[in-house]
Amino acid sequence: MPEKVAEKMEVDDKDTPTTTSTDTPAEESKDVDAIALENLKETCRQLEKGESHLVVRALQTLAKTRKTLKVEILRKLVSSQLASAPVQRDALLKYLGAEAEPQQMDVDSHKPAGKSPRPARKGAPQLPSVVPEVEVFVHLLVVIFLMDQRRNQEVEESVQSLLHRIEQHDKRALDPVAAKAYFSLALVLERMGRFDDIKSYLNSRLRTATLRREYDSQAVLINCLLRSYLLSKQYSAAAKLVTKVTFPENANNNEWARYLYYQGRIKAMQLDYTAAARYLLQAMRKAPQDSAIGFKQNVQKWTVVISLLQGEIPERSTFRMPIYRKTLAPYLELTQAVRLGDLVKFNVALNKYGPTAFHADETITLIVRLRQNVIKTAVRQISTAYSRISVDDIRKKLQLQHGDEAEYIVAKAIKDGAIEAAMSFDKNGRSMQSSEPADIYSTTEPQYQFDNRIKYCLELHNQAVKALRYPPKSYAKDVESIEEQREREQQELEFAKEMADEDDDDF
């Protein structure tokens, strides 16, 4: 017996440390979920004030909030915040895979079955009605959670229900939430391959938002329409839309960045590379500095291609930046081929990345145009290296199959002003004779370039002034109140009366 008791005591001693151990990962996860739920409830309590700026502030925290969303958190939030709206509560709980719990509205409901309850007294406690801002915010959280779960069909249904509720409430403070809903609807339909189905719907909502001056919805709807036209290769329709609408000045920077990016793509397809480069540069400045990496990578791809089409070679430091090093690797090979004027290397890069990277980035149309730039660069290098060279030698250097093609390329380069040369014919055949390089400072080209730089600096200064931010209510520091204004006016009247009396005494 003593040995058994000793063994039992030893076992108990071994088990003792387990009872005093720290919290398990499950308990820590519960604490994090509890904190997230409490933060969401605090946001809802702020939204109950019904102020529009609080709605905007709540939407600004969605990027951090969506990382903490879970089914259990949303169920508890929906059940607690929408207790007095059973129809909306049950619909949202259905999306979350839970059944609504019956709410006990009166004490008499606890009586046993078989006895009819008494009618509710006039003084019985009633649940307060749900504030519209709280309802649509909770509904939007459910939509975001469903989007992250890739439940596209349910997202479409819930977004349409959300937009219907916003129209029923008809409050200007809900416009930012409506803008988020329009964006979610367009995104989920794009995932489902049905983006063309809502063009007419987006157009009708854009007309309504413009008439009501709902700037957030207006900006989102314009960008969604532009994206739908660009995805379907309807560049003329997109350009026409840009000329017909006015993008709201007070839209947020994210929507401005998208709008400028789409404008840059439209101008690039219209062969206006200067305007396209300007729009893409502005889009890069409007984009968030510490996030939106995918957006900035896409903008940089288009910027590199447009720079090459303009005859400029991008800086090598651009391709070495950490966020661009991997995504711009195909464009680095393309840039090297254009810089060297190597048509073979260009064709290799095009065949290697054309069906995959370039096609996915939707830059393949512009890259095909680069072939002429590669040939022009090669011809320019040949004209610089040789004072006189035959067309057949040019064909061999360019690795072309026919001499007529080489002759046409050289003639076109001379006509476009890419090279200073002339075509001649002798007994050995046609040849290209380069002219002596002219002094560029004797032309108006330096003045033109200097004027462009001045315009660029002035435009940058104007944008910087518009982007300045001032401390809140700093404008009211030197503004006198109504009481001070009345007191000052009274003192001025008394002073004027005293001056008049002194003038009468002097007279």
Side-chain angles (χ1 to χ4, degrees), residues 380-428:
R380 191 182 299 112
Q381 292 177 352
I382 292 173
S383 66
T384 305
Y386 298 90
S387 60
R388 186 182 182 90
I389 185 173
S390 65
V391 174
D392 187 61
D393 292 337
I394 295 176
R395 179 189 65 80
K396 294 177 182 179
K397 289 183 176 294
L398 297 179
Q399 298 185 5
L400 301 176
Q401 296 181 357
H402 305 286
D404 295 339
E405 185 179 1
E407 184 178 350
Y408 167 76
I409 290 172
V410 173
K412 191 174 186 304
I414 295 173
K415 182 181 179 181
D416 295 341
I419 59 174
E420 295 291 337
M423 296 292 294
S424 61
F425 182 78
D426 53 14
K427 60 181 180 179
N428 295 326

Side-chain angles (χ1 to χ4, degrees), residues 83-95:
S84 58
V87 177
Q88 288 75 28
R89 179 199 62 198
D90 296 346
L92 295 182
L93 289 176
K94 182 180 178 182
Y95 292 128

Side-chain angles (χ1 to χ4, degrees), residues 1-10:
M1 283 294 294
E3 294 178 358
K4 293 183 179 180
V5 172
E7 291 177 0
K8 186 175 185 305
M9 292 178 62
E10 290 177 0

Side-chain angles (χ1 to χ4, degrees), residues 78-80 82-87 89-90 93 98-106 109-110 127:
V78 171
S79 300
S80 61
L82 304 183
S84 58
V87 177
R89 179 199 62 198
D90 296 346
L93 289 176
E99 296 294 334
E101 297 179 359
Q103 296 291 331
Q104 303 296 339
M105 298 296 297
D106 198 358
S109 60
H110 293 282
L127 291 175

